[in-house]
Amino acid sequence: MTQTASSEFARSTAVERQSDHSFSAELDAGWKVAGAINGGYLLGIVGRALRSLGPKTPDPLVISTFYLGPSADGPADISIRTLREGRSTASYSVDLSQNGAPTIAAMATMGNLGELPDDVATTATPPQLPPPEECIDAAEASEKFHKAAPIIDRFDMRLDPATAGFAVGKPSGRGLLQGWIRLVDGTDPDPLSLLTFLDAFPPVMFDLGRFNWAPTMELTAHLRALPAPGWISAKISTRNIAGGMFEEDCELWDSAGRLVAQSRQLARQPRG
Amino acid sequence: MTQTASSEFARSTAVERQSDHSFSAELDAGWKVAGAINGGYLLGIVGRALRSLGPKTPDPLVISTFYLGPSADGPADISIRTLREGRSTASYSVDLSQNGAPTIAAMATMGNLGELPDDVATTATPPQLPPPEECIDAAEASEKFHKAAPIIDRFDMRLDPATAGFAVGKPSGRGLLQGWIRLVDGTDPDPLSLLTFLDAFPPVMFDLGRFNWAPTMELTAHLRALPAPGWISAKISTRNIAGGMFEEDCELWDSAGRLVAQSRQLARQPRG
């Protein structure tokens, strides 16, 4: 299926134009985790508003987002300020607000991933993990987990058994999670769903045996190529856990073996 | 020496308050590289303006900066918008403009590095490199190089011989640079000079034999601890070179072996 226009993701990230640079959106409770709307889903909404600003710059090349407070399901307002509009790229600042206060603030440079040069000299290698059918289906999580994180029902997500020890009380302690992801209705990935996938997996701290809520302070995403159809494989890791915070790096690889998206976030450590 | 108030760096990143949330600065030509003011120096200036907003939040914990166009030496205006002020952190949006147009736009969350919890569970390891006196002194670069990059005279910078092959026409092709850095007048590092160090080394593309100008599109820095006095060691690497862009990661380690700062930037590939 490639009809993104009718996909659940497209519907739930829809924005309605209110004026040249302002939009409204309806945050869907199905994308909640631990009581708040997921940050990756919010990125998808912000990306969709930015995409509608111009046909020459449909794709976020880089987007940095600061999470100022939890977002609730219900209406949100998106207000955009133009920083610079050039020939092939355009940069914007974005506030997403609820009840008059920004819950996230972002900046992005938009471009056209389909028109980038086709050079590739990447030395990073895709995550090594078993095929999706040999991985652990996140849908098999407990009813309690589904209730706390309805977002997992938005995806078809499979966790590499080698990094999913946390699910059976045996986290590896390495700070590494790997898995496969696609939208639950089978819609192929596009740049906006990649933004959402970057913050869709369980927190990497699970692999360190720390299971509490780890709020994101900031997340920067680079989109580097249009994804090929099919599954996306993901590698999530952390290397610097200190001072009550940790960084979480996510790489997304497409079915053609391209590193299509990279992100790094800074998050507060769970207290438990 | 620890008198940062009188250091060359402190003087050249000074800002003058114009009103509650606006400042003026004088961009110093001594921080130019390839004809434009260096992005790391600009980060230092932005950090200094943010620091003056409140004594409880002197340090950038995370700052994301979009480079919208080259900055020239001479006057600049800094205008700050409050996104959220909390008990221990505060988030701001910042424009640095010249002649009425923003050349960089940033967002930052400020806090107090000296008051963070003292837990460290970092798995990253410091770069392995010879002591500064066995490294290549960047000050020994050609007169032509000094003219093109007067910024190198602002630092005492030593390059690991194992990753400095580019200087003698033998780049390793790995996409890795390592070295030592401190301010040229011996002033000990602080959070603001760390911001500058993150974008002070030669572009990592030099190690791939690509020597042309690689403009930064976006750079996000995390500061994770107050640096101990003395040399800072740095590791700069890239793993995803594709579509006319590359990411550049920088880690800064202090003399006590702490990973004190991490950054990732997205830059355009040099054309040569």
Side-chain angles (χ1 to χ4, degrees):
Chain A
M1 187 199 282
T2 54
Q3 295 290 324
T4 53
S6 65
S7 75
E8 176 191 72
F9 176 75
R11 284 192 308 274
S12 56
T13 55
V15 296
E16 191 171 336
R17 198 159 202 150
Q18 301 296 330
S19 73
D20 253 21
H21 286 81
S22 72
F23 300 82
S24 61
E26 187 70 25
L27 309 189
D28 185 323
W31 294 85
K32 279 180 137 176
V33 58
I37 294 287
N38 168 259
Y41 166 63
L42 294 172
L43 271 181
I45 292 174
V46 167
R48 198 168 301 280
L50 289 167
R51 163 172 285 186
S52 70
L53 296 178
K56 278 172 31 185
T57 54
D59 305 314
L61 304 181
V62 47
I63 180 165
S64 295
T65 307
F66 282 64
Y67 295 87
L68 307 169
S71 297
D73 51 298
D77 297 307
I78 298 159
S79 126
I80 297 178
R81 180 170 68 105
T82 301
L83 295 171
R84 177 183 171 276
E85 286 179 331
R87 261 176 315 170
S88 58
T89 63
S91 297
Y92 302 98
S93 161
V94 187
D95 284 2
L96 183 146
S97 303
Q98 292 191 298
N99 303 313
T103 59
I104 69 174
M107 291 190 299
T109 293
M110 305 291 290
N112 189 334
L113 288 173
E115 292 188 352
L116 296 181
D118 56 7
D119 65 292
V120 179
T122 297
T123 57
T125 53
Q128 295 300 306
L129 68 176
E133 55 277 14
E134 294 173 23
C135 287
I136 295 168
D137 190 339
E140 289 168 16
S142 67
E143 194 181 336
K144 186 181 157 200
F145 195 90
H146 277 269
K147 270 199 175 160
I151 189 176
I152 65 171
D153 297 323
R154 308 281 79 74
F155 306 113
D156 188 352
M157 183 188 289
R158 313 290 175 91
L159 302 173
D160 179 359
T163 66
F166 71 84
V168 291
K170 292 182 181 167
S172 84
R174 286 174 300 179
L176 174 67
L177 294 180
Q178 296 189 155
W180 299 95
I181 191 168
R182 60 182 179 186
L183 292 169
V184 71
D185 60 11
T187 306
D188 282 320
D190 77 345
L192 301 187
S193 55
L194 289 182
L195 288 180
T196 298
F197 293 167
L198 285 166
D199 198 32
F201 281 84
V204 69
M205 296 299 275
F206 280 21
D207 189 44
L208 293 155
R210 307 192 195 196
F211 293 109
N212 285 358
W213 173 234
T216 302
M217 300 169 64
E218 182 271 343
L219 185 151
T220 297
H222 301 173
L223 296 191
R224 301 296 300 278
L226 287 176
W231 284 100
I232 294 289
S233 64
K235 177 184 172 180
I236 299 111
S237 58
T238 185
R239 298 166 62 247
N240 191 15
I241 304 158
M245 300 183 285
F246 65 102
E247 105 283 33
E248 179 172 306
D249 288 356
C250 180
E251 291 177 3
L252 299 179
W253 295 76
D254 73 3
S255 63
R258 279 288 293 270
L259 179 45
V260 290
Q262 286 169 286
S263 68
R264 174 171 290 169
Q265 63 173 272
L266 183 66
R268 291 188 202 283
Q269 279 190 59
R271 295 231 169 74
Chain B
M1 188 197 281
T2 54
Q3 295 290 325
T4 53
S6 65
S7 74
E8 177 191 71
F9 176 75
R11 285 192 307 275
S12 57
T13 54
V15 296
E16 191 171 337
R17 198 158 202 153
Q18 301 296 329
S19 73
D20 252 20
H21 286 80
S22 73
F23 299 82
S24 61
E26 187 71 24
L27 309 189
D28 185 323
W31 295 85
K32 280 181 137 176
V33 58
I37 294 288
N38 168 260
Y41 166 63
L42 294 172
L43 271 181
I45 292 173
V46 167
R48 199 168 300 281
L50 288 166
R51 163 172 284 187
S52 70
L53 296 178
K56 276 170 36 182
T57 55
D59 306 313
L61 303 181
V62 47
I63 180 165
S64 295
T65 307
F66 283 64
Y67 295 87
L68 306 168
S71 298
D73 51 298
D77 298 306
I78 297 159
S79 125
I80 297 178
R81 179 171 69 104
T82 301
L83 295 171
R84 177 184 172 277
E85 285 179 332
R87 261 177 312 169
S88 58
T89 62
S91 298
Y92 302 99
S93 160
V94 188
D95 284 2
L96 184 146
S97 303
Q98 292 191 297
N99 303 312
T103 59
I104 69 174
M107 289 191 300
T109 293
M110 305 291 290
N112 189 334
L113 288 172
E115 292 188 352
L116 296 182
D118 56 7
D119 64 294
V120 179
T122 297
T123 58
T125 52
Q128 295 301 306
L129 68 175
E133 55 276 15
E134 294 172 23
C135 288
I136 296 169
D137 190 340
E140 289 167 16
S142 67
E143 194 180 338
K144 188 181 159 200
F145 194 90
H146 276 269
K147 271 200 174 159
I151 188 177
I152 65 170
D153 297 323
R154 308 280 79 73
F155 306 112
D156 187 353
M157 182 188 289
R158 313 290 176 91
L159 301 173
D160 178 0
T163 66
F166 71 84
V168 290
K170 290 181 182 168
S172 84
R174 286 173 300 180
L176 175 68
L177 294 180
Q178 296 188 155
W180 301 94
I181 190 166
R182 59 182 179 186
L183 291 169
V184 72
D185 59 12
T187 306
D188 281 321
D190 77 346
L192 301 186
S193 55
L194 289 183
L195 289 179
T196 298
F197 293 167
L198 285 167
D199 197 32
F201 280 84
V204 68
M205 296 299 274
F206 279 21
D207 188 46
L208 293 155
R210 308 192 195 195
F211 293 108
N212 286 357
W213 174 232
T216 303
M217 300 169 63
E218 181 271 344
L219 185 151
T220 297
H222 301 172
L223 296 191
R224 302 295 301 278
L226 286 177
W231 284 99
I232 294 289
S233 64
K235 175 185 173 180
I236 299 111
S237 58
T238 184
R239 298 166 63 246
N240 191 16
I241 304 157
M245 300 183 286
F246 65 102
E247 106 283 32
E248 179 172 305
D249 287 357
C250 180
E251 290 177 4
L252 299 179
W253 295 76
D254 73 4
S255 63
R258 279 289 294 269
L259 178 45
V260 290
Q262 285 169 287
S263 68
R264 174 172 289 169
Q265 63 172 272
L266 183 66
R268 291 187 201 283
Q269 279 191 60
R271 295 230 169 74

